[in-house]
Amino acid sequence: MAGKNTSEPASSFEQAERSHRGLTGTSADQTGSSRLDRAPTSTGPFGESDPANEIGTEPAINVQPFTPMLTTTDWNAEWMALQQARRKADSPSYWDSRSHTFPTSTEPSAYARRFIELADIQPRETVFDMGCGTGALAVPLGLAGHKVVAADFSRGMLDRMSEALKQADVHTVFPMQLSWEEDWAAKGVRPGMVDVCTASRSIATANLRDSLLRLTDIARRRVCITLTTGSSPRTDERIMADLGLKDALCPDYLYAINILAAEGILPQVDFIRSERNDTFDTPEQAAESLRRMIDGAAGAVVGEQQRQAAYARLHAWLNDNLVPNEHAGSPDGHGGVQKALRLRNPRVITWAFIAWDK
């Protein structure tokens, strides 16, 4: 990413940041070139081992070289191929249309509380929250007194967050319409701009390495993200296993860990469990919802025959797991009401929390 252009006018956030820090902190234009200027590195295989060096053993005969395949895998290239196969590019208009279904509240969810706890953001530290949505992190961080740049490419999401900020009388969160692929420097997002960068449940980009290094560049101290452990946030690993698709699950978080390792970064990894109580008007509606889960999670990595076998198991699975919803008619937390049927057990989504210090 480009270094800081001092001829550009400072944003309102930067002005507030300067008054807070007196322009202290380390940025890429002070310390050298950005990580994004470096080409990805690759490592060749290790040489063969020599058992004769082991105490009390005889030299082995005809020892063959061992090639640890993890060192020869281009994890970002595989991620890019997987993303191209599994999904079309996200559209701001799609998320604009969905923004009204996302809750806005000054009270953080259990997921957001755990994320903020693991993020270990210190008092008075500044934050860049990429893919902020309706402010699940930005609103409680603002309430806690942090200055936050909250960025999302969906104007609808930002408008919903702004409503919540106004309701909570928070003035330290600065909304910004921004996509992962844009020129961040042109929008005023520069290396070393904030203390901590966060990307909560928002990295579905085509180029994962680029996204991770963008966040790394603009954080002075720490980066915290979450990725799914089972292909997408719509995927319940338990249901997929019951339908015979356990091997089709693609643990997205492993790509991030290995890409970071190739950059010499050793991240902290933890896990956050998030429950979802889906409800349905009819058994047919439930079946259609789970068929979309199968297609979304497995469509890129398994053949038609395996998907058809999962569809065939779905009817019996729903007979055992679809029950009357005793809370039908109550608010569903997304601006609607709960429907007549629910799954016997809540769907569980497990998120991998990945953080690294600068």
Side-chain angles (χ1 to χ4, degrees):
M1 294 176 66
K4 187 169 184 177
N5 183 349
T6 56
S7 65
E8 295 183 11
S11 66
S12 58
F13 172 80
E14 287 182 312
Q15 291 171 353
E17 169 67 350
R18 287 174 180 173
S19 66
H20 167 55
R21 289 192 170 272
L23 295 178
T24 60
T26 302
S27 62
D29 55 338
Q30 294 169 322
T31 58
S33 62
S34 164
R35 281 180 178 271
L36 293 177
D37 295 329
R38 301 207 313 256
T41 58
S42 59
T43 307
F46 292 116
E48 62 185 47
S49 58
D50 185 4
N53 291 330
E54 298 182 15
I55 298 175
T57 62
E58 294 293 328
I61 300 174
N62 297 326
V63 175
Q64 297 298 314
F66 171 70
T67 303
M69 296 304 294
L70 287 177
T71 65
T72 63
T73 299
D74 187 335
W75 287 88
N76 197 52
E78 184 169 306
W79 168 273
M80 294 174 73
L82 178 62
Q83 289 294 88
Q84 188 173 16
R86 70 162 37 151
R87 58 184 295 145
K88 62 182 180 181
D90 278 343
S91 161
S93 60
Y94 168 76
W95 289 103
D96 288 347
S97 67
R98 287 200 60 197
S99 62
H100 70 279
T101 68
F102 281 69
T104 56
S105 173
T106 57
E107 180 64 30
S109 66
Y111 165 89
R113 287 196 300 271
R114 183 58 177 156
F115 186 106
I116 292 171
E117 177 186 358
L118 291 170
D120 192 29
I121 301 170
Q122 300 300 304
R124 298 177 63 82
E125 283 193 317
T126 54
V127 180
F128 179 81
D129 183 22
M130 183 59 193
C132 63
T134 58
L137 295 183
V139 173
L141 287 173
L143 282 168
H146 296 283
K147 295 184 177 71
V148 182
V149 173
D152 202 287
F153 74 165
S154 166
R155 173 50 58 187
M157 293 288 187
L158 293 174
D159 288 345
R160 292 269 288 163
M161 179 182 67
S162 295
E163 294 170 6
L165 293 170
K166 183 177 180 181
Q167 179 183 355
D169 197 30
V170 172
H171 304 284
T172 59
V173 176
F174 303 83
M176 174 184 289
Q177 189 165 10
L178 180 73
S179 74
W180 284 100
E181 293 77 19
E182 285 183 82
D183 182 346
W184 286 11
K187 300 292 276 290
V189 180
R190 299 182 176 89
M193 187 180 77
V194 295
D195 296 302
V196 179
C197 288
T198 60
S200 168
R201 304 185 290 197
S202 66
I203 304 182
T205 56
N207 189 328
L208 181 57
R209 177 181 179 272
D210 177 76
S211 299
L212 297 175
L213 295 188
R214 282 175 182 246
L215 297 174
T216 304
D217 270 357
I218 65 174
R220 285 192 287 263
R221 186 180 72 83
R222 185 165 169 82
V223 182
C224 307
I225 67 171
T226 47
L227 284 168
T228 63
T229 61
S231 300
S232 87
R234 292 170 290 278
T235 303
D236 185 312
E237 299 171 52
R238 173 181 54 87
I239 297 175
M240 294 288 285
D242 288 348
L243 298 178
L245 292 171
K246 182 177 181 180
D247 293 339
L249 292 169
C250 187
D252 286 4
Y253 75 104
L254 292 181
Y255 287 91
I257 292 171
N258 282 283
I259 289 168
L260 290 169
E263 295 293 322
I265 297 170
L266 300 179
Q268 162 197 351
V269 182
D270 213 311
F271 297 94
I272 305 173
R273 288 166 57 88
S274 177
E275 289 191 353
R276 302 196 176 188
N277 292 285
D278 298 333
T279 64
F280 313 95
D281 286 320
T282 64
E284 291 75 20
Q285 188 182 75
E288 178 58 30
S289 175
L290 294 186
R291 276 194 291 266
R292 288 196 299 269
M293 180 194 296
I294 293 169
D295 291 339
V301 294
V302 305
E304 181 64 20
Q305 184 176 359
Q306 193 172 352
R307 284 206 308 279
Q308 289 298 329
Y311 298 152
R313 296 185 185 99
L314 181 56
H315 179 73
W317 190 90
L318 283 172
N319 278 344
D320 291 337
N321 290 277
L322 197 62
V323 299
N325 179 20
E326 62 274 25
H327 302 294
S330 300
D332 64 1
H334 296 277
V337 297
Q338 297 188 42
K339 299 173 183 176
L341 301 170
R342 65 171 176 83
L343 298 180
R344 186 180 303 279
N345 299 305
R347 288 201 302 115
V348 176
I349 310 300
T350 302
W351 295 93
F353 175 91
I354 305 171
W356 57 101
D357 293 326
K358 295 292 290 287

